[in-house]
């Protein structure tokens, strides 16, 4: 099996470059922000970070395809880098430090492309998480200064901490009642949002999390970090990986119960 460590090292280099670009414009008074056709914001920093990553990949991995939130798909082949230059743009443009650059390498496999490398870099929080297939998940400042992370061992829903992003998406999909039932039956709930709940699941600080509407670039890096930390990452339909358009992540012990609540319609 490939070890993917060279790809992981490259992903860290890409994240370092993106961090410098995004932090340079974070809280800038003259930051330019536009509204995309789907009515979500995009800043000049989103575009600059993705352009920078694409440029470095073109030089370092010219045969690999690249899929990014801002500029779509370029190239073909069995290897595809998936980029979200700023996950949490709404936070970024308001000066909230909870945002991250997500970088993943996916490889063609049975059932579609699957993530084999992921880096989640949140420079305003001073945090970074990463994983490579078969090598575990880690957090730290760099590859040489890292601690391995593992999901929790909480096995009872009544003892579990549940993280989510918002209520509106669940209501729009007719799943709000099941979501609310879940919040009543767990020990604790918090709306951290975006990439952060998945990283806390991987660290064992949170036990379950879910979101009802996502794109591949929102999920690919998170998925490999969670699974390499010993957790489970699926769609709400139970399909493993980041391909369902929504996500549920857990320590594995609580996954079936999590899905049973969030798929209720009444």
């Amino acid at each position: 099996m490939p070890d993917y460590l060279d790809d992981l090292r490259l992903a860290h280099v890409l994240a370092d470059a993106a961090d410098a670009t995004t932090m340079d414009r974070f809280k800038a008074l003259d930051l330019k922000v536009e509204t995309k056709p789907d009515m979500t914001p995009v800043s000049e920093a989103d575009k600059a970070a993705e352009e920078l990553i694409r440029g470095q990949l073109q030089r370092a991995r010219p045969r690999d395809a690249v899929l990014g939130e801002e500029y779509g798909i370029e190239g073909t082949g069995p290897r595809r880098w998936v980029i979200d230059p700023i996950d949490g743009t709404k936070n970024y443009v308001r000066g909230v430090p909870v945002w991250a650059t997500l970088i993943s390498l996916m490889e063609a496999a049975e059932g579609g492309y699957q993530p084999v490398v992921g880096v989640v870099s949140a420079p305003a929080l001073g945090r970074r998480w990463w994983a490579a297939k078969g090598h575990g998940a880690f957090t730290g400042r760099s590859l040489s200064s890292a601690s391995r992370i593992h999901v929790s061992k909480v096995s009872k829903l009544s003892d579990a901490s549940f993280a989510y992003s918002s209520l509106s998406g669940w209501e729009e999909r007719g799943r709000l009642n099941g979501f609310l039932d879940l919040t009543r039956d767990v020990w604790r709930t918090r709306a951290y949002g975006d990439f952060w709940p998945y990283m806390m699941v991987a660290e064992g600080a949170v036990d379950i999390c879910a979101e009802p509407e996502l794109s591949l670039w929102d999920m690919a890096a998170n998925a490999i970090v969670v699974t390499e930390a010993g957790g489970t990452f699926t769609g709400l339909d139970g399909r493993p990986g980041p391909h369902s358009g929504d996500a549920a992540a857990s320590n594995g012990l609580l996954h079936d119960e999590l899905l049973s609540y969030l798929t209720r319609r009444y």
Side-chain angles (χ1 to χ4, degrees):
M1 185 180 72
D3 66 17
Y4 302 110
L5 294 182
D6 283 344
D7 296 307
L8 179 61
R9 283 187 282 269
L10 174 59
H12 275 272
V13 171
L14 299 173
D16 289 342
D19 286 354
T21 297
T22 52
M23 286 301 292
D24 183 61
R25 300 300 293 153
F26 185 48
K27 296 187 179 181
L29 297 179
D30 60 344
L31 181 72
K32 296 177 182 177
V33 182
E34 303 170 7
T35 300
K36 294 191 286 190
D38 64 359
M39 303 308 293
T40 60
V42 57
S43 74
E44 62 181 274
D46 292 80
K47 294 180 177 180
E50 184 168 325
E51 288 170 352
L52 180 65
I53 293 170
R54 284 176 177 270
Q56 292 200 9
L57 283 172
Q58 180 58 40
R59 292 187 292 274
R61 297 288 191 276
R63 296 182 179 179
D64 293 351
V66 182
L67 171 65
E69 179 177 9
E70 307 308 334
Y71 296 107
I73 183 74
E74 182 178 2
T76 59
R79 290 165 48 99
R80 177 182 297 173
W81 293 85
V82 179
I83 304 159
D84 190 344
I86 299 179
D87 182 51
T89 298
K90 291 177 182 177
N91 283 346
Y92 183 88
V93 301
R94 289 295 304 270
V96 178
V98 183
W99 49 270
T101 294
L102 312 184
I103 300 169
S104 179
L105 173 63
M106 303 186 75
E107 280 198 342
E110 187 176 349
Y113 285 84
Q114 297 299 327
V116 294
V117 166
V119 171
V120 176
S121 190
L125 294 176
R127 298 295 309 277
R128 185 178 290 186
W129 302 261
W130 61 88
K133 185 177 179 180
H135 290 276
F138 296 83
T139 187
R141 295 283 181 175
S142 65
L143 280 167
S144 60
S145 177
S147 301
R148 190 160 186 172
I149 54 176
H150 301 275
V151 296
S152 75
K153 291 179 168 46
V154 172
S155 60
K156 293 173 60 177
L157 203 64
S158 58
D159 295 331
S161 180
F162 171 46
Y164 62 96
S165 288
S166 68
L167 297 177
S168 58
W170 300 103
E171 185 172 32
E172 289 166 4
R173 283 153 191 79
R175 296 182 174 183
L176 182 60
N177 288 329
F179 173 90
L180 292 175
D181 286 345
L182 177 60
T183 66
R184 297 182 185 108
D185 290 346
V186 297
W187 167 63
R188 190 171 189 253
T189 62
R190 285 294 184 271
Y192 298 105
D194 300 306
F195 69 95
W196 208 6
Y198 303 98
M199 297 303 99
M200 286 192 280
V201 167
E203 290 183 325
V206 165
D207 309 299
I208 54 176
C209 69
E211 289 183 271
E213 183 181 17
L214 294 166
S215 297
L216 180 60
W217 46 76
D218 297 313
M219 296 183 280
N222 294 334
I224 184 70
V225 174
V226 169
T227 55
E228 284 293 320
T232 300
F233 189 106
T234 73
L236 297 178
D237 57 6
R239 180 184 177 191
H243 296 287
S244 300
D246 45 44
S250 76
N251 64 4
L253 301 173
L254 300 168
H255 207 79
D256 289 345
E257 286 184 274
L258 172 63
L259 293 180
S260 72
Y261 278 87
L262 298 180
T263 53
R264 294 177 186 176
R265 295 180 182 273
Y266 53 82

